[in-house]
Amino acid sequence: MNFPDLIQTILIYGLPVIFAITLHEAAHGYVAHRFGDNTAWMMGRVTLNPVPHIDPMGTLLMPIVLFLATGGHFLFGYARPVPVNFSRLNHPKRDMIWVALAGPAANFVQAFLWAFVMYGLIAAGVQERFFIEVCKAGVKVNAVMFAFNLFPLPPLDGGRILVGLLPWKQAVWLSRIEPYGFYIVMALIVLKVVDTLWMAPIMTLTFELLSLMLSPFEFLLKP
């Protein structure tokens, strides 16, 4: 990838990525606040300001290095996790499910909204390709975050949802994996297990669901 293409890609994906990360983390904190834990709220993490959610290594350095090293073929990063004290939730085991689900749900809603905006731009006859590409990037980024974060292994959101759903004995066993979960997920990514057995089918289902939800607005695409 040459330098002009790199700059263009950064400009196209920059805004969708910032929104995707910021709203994902803020959603966790907001739902935790609603269910009794004010930790993130008191620390100022329930905010649409992206700065408190940025992790210098995971949000900036790692994605840039991976993007340059792989020519744009592989990209991975993470934000500063919103602090949640699950013991402070009104019903910790049950409410954990909703707190964890809030982040991926925020990404799914954003994917739908970016697609809807794209439909609106096309209907309005907007010819500037840049805006259409930004909307497409918004759909893709949020769909990827939605699917990946639902992977059922702590500390990912899907793992915490599963902990909340399992009986106590199995939930305790799974929760003990959390300190090592990130490294396990990274290994599974390298081995392409996550991509083939999880991301591919979940992404397909995600796009099919988005397409179904957008079907009432397809008239906007007709000349």
Side-chain angles (χ1 to χ4, degrees):
M1 180 177 290
N2 57 42
F3 186 72
D5 287 342
L6 174 62
I7 296 301
Q8 184 182 52
T9 301
I10 291 173
L11 291 175
I12 288 173
Y13 279 85
L15 190 63
V17 168
I18 289 172
F19 272 119
I21 290 173
T22 300
L23 292 177
H24 178 103
E25 296 300 333
H28 283 313
Y30 177 76
V31 173
H33 170 67
R34 296 291 296 177
F35 282 99
D37 176 31
N38 290 327
T39 306
W41 187 275
M42 305 240 345
M43 294 177 66
R45 295 297 305 279
V46 185
T47 175
L48 298 183
N49 178 4
V51 175
H53 304 297
I54 291 175
D55 180 278
M57 176 64 74
T59 313
L60 301 175
L61 184 60
M62 180 186 289
I64 291 172
V65 170
L66 287 174
F67 190 87
L68 294 175
T70 64
H73 295 295
F74 180 75
L75 187 62
F76 178 80
Y78 54 88
R80 287 178 60 208
V82 164
V84 177
N85 188 337
F86 293 105
S87 65
R88 292 185 178 179
L89 297 172
N90 298 328
H91 304 280
K93 196 168 183 296
R94 184 194 67 189
D95 296 346
M96 176 194 305
I97 298 171
W98 298 110
V99 173
L101 188 60
N107 291 125
F108 185 84
V109 170
Q110 285 180 84
F112 173 82
L113 291 176
W114 279 112
F116 184 76
V117 170
M118 181 176 68
Y119 277 32
L121 291 175
I122 294 172
V126 173
Q127 300 295 319
E128 177 52 61
R129 194 68 192 168
F130 174 77
F131 297 118
I132 303 297
E133 292 301 320
V134 169
C135 290
K136 288 181 179 179
V139 175
K140 182 178 179 180
V141 165
N142 281 285
V144 168
M145 284 191 66
F146 170 75
F148 180 73
N149 278 285
L150 286 178
F151 188 74
L153 190 71
L156 295 178
D157 297 324
R160 288 178 174 162
I161 292 170
L162 186 56
V163 168
L165 292 173
L166 287 172
W168 273 105
K169 184 177 180 180
Q170 290 79 6
V172 169
W173 179 86
L174 183 61
S175 65
R176 289 175 180 166
I177 296 176
E178 182 158 346
Y180 318 101
F182 179 79
Y183 303 104
I184 296 173
V185 171
M186 289 298 97
L188 293 175
I189 289 175
V190 172
L191 295 172
K192 300 188 181 299
V193 173
V194 172
D195 185 48
T196 56
L197 298 183
W198 181 262
M199 293 297 291
I202 298 299
M203 288 285 288
T204 298
L205 289 173
T206 300
F207 284 124
E208 287 179 354
L209 181 56
L210 286 170
S211 178
L212 179 64
M213 293 172 64
L214 288 162
S215 59
F217 307 102
E218 287 182 352
F219 70 92
L220 295 173
L221 304 179
K222 297 178 181 179

